Amino acid sequence: MISAGFSSETMSNPRAERVREVAHLATRGGRAKLDQFLAEGPQAVREALKLHAARAAADQDPVVAAVYATEHALERYPEFIDLVAAIPHLFARIVTDEVLAAMADTVTPQGIVAVCYLPQTTLAEVLELEPKLVAVLCRIQDPGNAGTILRAADAAGADALILTSGSVDIYNPKAVRSTVGSLFHLPIVTGVDFEEAVESLRAAGHSVLAADGYGDRNLDDFQDASTRRRLGESTDPDSGAAIRLEDPTAWLFGNEGAGLTPEELSAADERVAVPLYGVAESLNVGTAATVCMYASARAQRGNRDK
Amino acid sequence: MISAGFSSETMSNPRAERVREVAHLATRGGRAKLDQFLAEGPQAVREALKLHAARAAADQDPVVAAVYATEHALERYPEFIDLVAAIPHLFARIVTDEVLAAMADTVTPQGIVAVCYLPQTTLAEVLELEPKLVAVLCRIQDPGNAGTILRAADAAGADALILTSGSVDIYNPKAVRSTVGSLFHLPIVTGVDFEEAVESLRAAGHSVLAADGYGDRNLDDFQDASTRRRLGESTDPDSGAAIRLEDPTAWLFGNEGAGLTPEELSAADERVAVPLYGVAESLNVGTAATVCMYASARAQRGNRDK
């Protein structure tokens, strides 16, 4: 027996019903049926367990349904023994390499996975938290792009991520992997109707900015105006832009091929282009999202510090 | 016959020697043997042909050795007929779908590929162009990351990209695809010795900044100091930082797993961290590179405009 948290019994049958259920979480149907998804690898599992512990302390819904790890993984990442032992009633099992391989979608899941509950967070719940910076993914299709934007949103300190209906399922294994744990760092709302999202965010006081390569406003101008206000140089509170980056902001990021639709663009308060200083005709949506969210973060944090 | 540029003969034998040679460019050995690489898809081929025409006009070395397209692709992208016809002596052939599939690495190459010469650009040649912003990729391994950084460097108007020895081959098909044509927008130097790169760039007047999550300097401070100088608020030309983002700058970006080595870090003038405002413990190297290069571009362009 390695720890109090992990059961002393080792699961060794890769064809067991439970193993097949976990493997089935790689499919959208499997996730919908069980209301669960799979986090693979030490970093994702660690962040899931941390969030689980924090929520348990606040008497909130659980995050993790079960943890499965190989003996070898627990030798390599011994911190999981304590992390698991610290959570009462957590289902945790040691499994053979074969069982773990049968459960996981990854070729090299590094010996540890966690079955997690699909969050049921609603847009209304997110708005109650009075978010300052929100990323809205509009029909983004590529799991890697969705994961990259979530991770950048997390780094920039965004308060929530919203995926409109028709977006990639961010709980599919490839997307989960590309978030490297950020999935457990900020609230995520999925399957939201686009118009409802924009109306609710605007009603909550957000500027709604469309990231658009053909936008008629340049992100630099918004940043300069914000910096001038922060440095106290401008006496005009609206200098250069009616929209202020330091105010609560929701960014709309569009589909990687087609961008935002005309309807989505016209729903925004402004269409903002990330400047292209070189020869490139366009930016990857993940790169554009990074620049936009960091611009907002700098404006909001800098002005908050004052 | 579709055009004057494309030969009227259609290549239809997928087992022909020439087809096998093109297919072999998917391997490092094949590229080294022929000093060529393959650009796949309309966007990459278009950028290659544009650069080829511009270089031909300036009596410089050719970029494209051959273009192969299916009838269907030329119907869908008719601009290639004129683009090819405008370049004298360009080897251009119409091929069957089977031949194109045999040549290309991609499952869906969209019917057009170009065989391009591997550039022989040297570091000395790049420095003669007096670059203001240079990205140095230090042992980056993932082709997608290298491509993303190149594309972001292009967007930020960087003047050159340098890959140190031990980096991924940016001319492998996956990397070429992920650059979406940026490969033909700025000079790229490969296989450069790290110490030689840093010494040459410093001798050319560049600040050498290491992008480092554990850096003791915060990118925000450099940006604020630069903005204060630009807005004329600061009377102290060195306010806040001896390093000025608006001066010629070379950014060092490290391996995705291990980051920059202690030796690489100590070779830099400063170790600069991109601020993490949220819970994320780290940034993807592509995301970090985007934020760093856009910070430099803003500082350099803004201050140049003055």
Side-chain angles (χ1 to χ4, degrees):
Chain A
M1 202 187 82
I2 288 194
S3 86
F6 281 92
S7 155
S8 58
E9 245 177 283
T10 296
M11 285 173 56
S12 60
N13 178 8
R15 280 167 301 281
E17 173 69 18
R18 189 183 294 270
V19 176
R20 286 211 307 269
E21 264 187 15
V22 174
H24 201 39
L25 297 177
T27 70
R28 194 186 265 261
R31 292 191 292 278
K33 187 177 163 195
L34 296 174
D35 267 335
Q36 294 176 333
F37 70 100
L38 193 64
E40 303 176 43
Q43 189 156 9
V45 175
R46 187 184 300 117
E47 299 307 300
L49 289 171
K50 276 192 208 163
L51 180 61
H52 185 99
R55 291 181 64 92
D59 209 22
Q60 293 172 322
D61 286 340
V63 174
V64 178
V67 177
Y68 302 98
T70 62
E71 291 253 9
H72 184 72
L74 292 180
E75 280 160 23
R76 188 163 169 199
Y77 308 107
E79 76 262 33
F80 284 100
I81 297 170
D82 293 338
L83 272 173
V84 164
I87 300 173
H89 314 301
L90 183 66
F91 185 90
R93 289 286 181 279
I94 296 174
V95 301
T96 60
D97 290 355
E98 291 69 33
V99 165
L100 199 94
M103 285 176 162
D105 182 74
T106 329
V107 182
T108 52
Q110 298 176 276
I112 186 160
V113 299
V115 173
C116 302
Y117 297 106
L118 281 176
Q120 308 295 334
T121 318
T122 65
L123 185 55
E125 286 167 351
V126 162
L127 292 176
E128 271 173 31
L129 302 171
E130 299 187 2
K132 296 283 175 289
L133 181 57
V134 174
V136 184
L137 275 56
C138 305
R139 298 163 300 100
I140 298 274
Q141 290 305 306
D142 180 74
N145 280 340
T148 300
I149 297 175
L150 171 57
R151 200 173 164 197
D154 180 13
D159 301 296
L161 185 86
I162 293 169
L163 295 111
T164 68
S165 8
S167 301
V168 66
D169 184 350
I170 200 153
Y171 299 104
N172 93 32
K174 185 160 185 249
V176 171
R177 274 198 296 282
S178 63
T179 69
V180 197
S182 286
L183 206 54
F184 304 105
H185 291 165
L186 63 165
I188 296 171
V189 192
T190 61
V192 181
D193 176 72
F194 173 79
E195 285 183 23
E196 191 202 327
V198 168
E199 281 169 24
S200 307
L201 285 159
R202 189 174 285 129
H206 275 242
S207 308
V208 178
L209 302 184
D212 171 30
Y214 303 99
D216 41 11
R217 301 300 297 265
N218 185 316
L219 183 63
D220 274 2
D221 296 335
F222 286 104
Q223 289 190 270
D224 279 351
S226 171
T227 306
R228 282 171 196 273
R229 283 190 292 273
R230 176 153 61 91
L231 298 181
E233 209 200 40
S234 168
T235 48
D236 174 5
D238 287 337
S239 66
I243 298 290
R244 299 150 44 103
L245 279 190
E246 58 268 35
D247 293 340
T249 299
W251 279 102
L252 310 182
F253 303 115
N255 174 272
E256 37 274 275
L260 292 162
T261 65
E263 293 72 29
E264 288 165 349
L265 288 170
S266 65
D269 298 323
E270 295 279 3
R271 300 165 52 166
V272 184
V274 173
L276 295 170
Y277 297 114
V279 188
E281 283 167 34
S282 66
L283 280 175
N284 171 291
V285 64
T287 303
T290 299
V291 176
C292 291
M293 287 188 292
Y294 260 91
S296 288
R298 259 179 67 73
Q300 295 185 349
R301 307 275 163 160
N303 291 15
R304 265 184 226 177
D305 293 349
K306 279 256 152 177
Chain B
M1 203 186 83
I2 289 196
S3 84
F6 281 92
S7 156
S8 59
E9 246 176 283
T10 295
M11 285 174 57
S12 60
N13 178 7
R15 280 167 299 280
E17 173 70 18
R18 188 183 293 273
V19 177
R20 285 213 306 269
E21 263 187 16
V22 174
H24 201 39
L25 297 177
T27 69
R28 195 185 264 262
R31 293 192 292 277
K33 187 177 163 195
L34 297 174
D35 267 335
Q36 292 176 335
F37 70 100
L38 192 65
E40 303 177 42
Q43 189 156 10
V45 175
R46 188 182 301 119
E47 299 307 300
L49 289 171
K50 275 193 211 164
L51 179 62
H52 184 99
R55 291 180 63 93
D59 210 21
Q60 292 172 321
D61 286 341
V63 174
V64 178
V67 177
Y68 302 98
T70 62
E71 292 253 9
H72 183 72
L74 292 180
E75 280 160 23
R76 186 162 170 199
Y77 308 107
E79 77 261 33
F80 283 100
I81 297 171
D82 293 338
L83 272 173
V84 164
I87 300 172
H89 313 302
L90 183 65
F91 186 90
R93 288 288 180 278
I94 295 172
V95 301
T96 61
D97 290 356
E98 291 69 32
V99 165
L100 199 95
M103 285 176 163
D105 181 73
T106 328
V107 182
T108 53
Q110 299 175 275
I112 185 160
V113 299
V115 174
C116 303
Y117 297 106
L118 281 177
Q120 308 295 333
T121 319
T122 65
L123 186 54
E125 285 167 350
V126 161
L127 292 176
E128 271 172 30
L129 302 171
E130 299 188 2
K132 295 282 173 291
L133 181 56
V134 174
V136 184
L137 274 54
C138 305
R139 298 163 302 101
I140 298 273
Q141 290 304 306
D142 180 75
N145 280 340
T148 301
I149 297 175
L150 171 56
R151 200 173 163 196
D154 180 11
D159 302 295
L161 185 86
I162 293 169
L163 293 112
T164 67
S165 4
S167 301
V168 66
D169 184 349
I170 200 152
Y171 299 104
N172 93 33
K174 184 159 185 248
V176 171
R177 272 197 297 283
S178 63
T179 69
V180 197
S182 286
L183 206 54
F184 304 104
H185 291 165
L186 63 165
I188 296 171
V189 192
T190 60
V192 181
D193 176 71
F194 173 79
E195 286 182 22
E196 190 201 328
V198 169
E199 280 169 23
S200 307
L201 284 159
R202 191 174 283 129
H206 275 243
S207 308
V208 179
L209 302 185
D212 171 27
Y214 303 99
D216 42 11
R217 302 299 298 265
N218 185 317
L219 182 63
D220 274 1
D221 297 335
F222 287 103
Q223 289 190 272
D224 278 351
S226 171
T227 306
R228 282 171 195 274
R229 282 188 295 274
R230 175 154 61 92
L231 298 181
E233 210 200 39
S234 169
T235 48
D236 173 6
D238 287 338
S239 66
I243 298 290
R244 300 151 43 103
L245 278 190
E246 59 267 36
D247 292 340
T249 299
W251 279 102
L252 310 181
F253 303 115
N255 174 273
E256 37 273 274
L260 293 162
T261 64
E263 292 73 28
E264 288 164 350
L265 288 171
S266 63
D269 298 323
E270 295 280 3
R271 300 165 52 168
V272 183
V274 173
L276 295 170
Y277 297 114
V279 188
E281 283 166 34
S282 66
L283 280 174
N284 171 291
V285 65
T287 303
T290 299
V291 176
C292 291
M293 286 187 293
Y294 259 92
S296 287
R298 258 179 67 74
Q300 295 184 349
R301 307 275 162 161
N303 291 15
R304 263 184 227 177
D305 292 348
K306 279 257 149 176

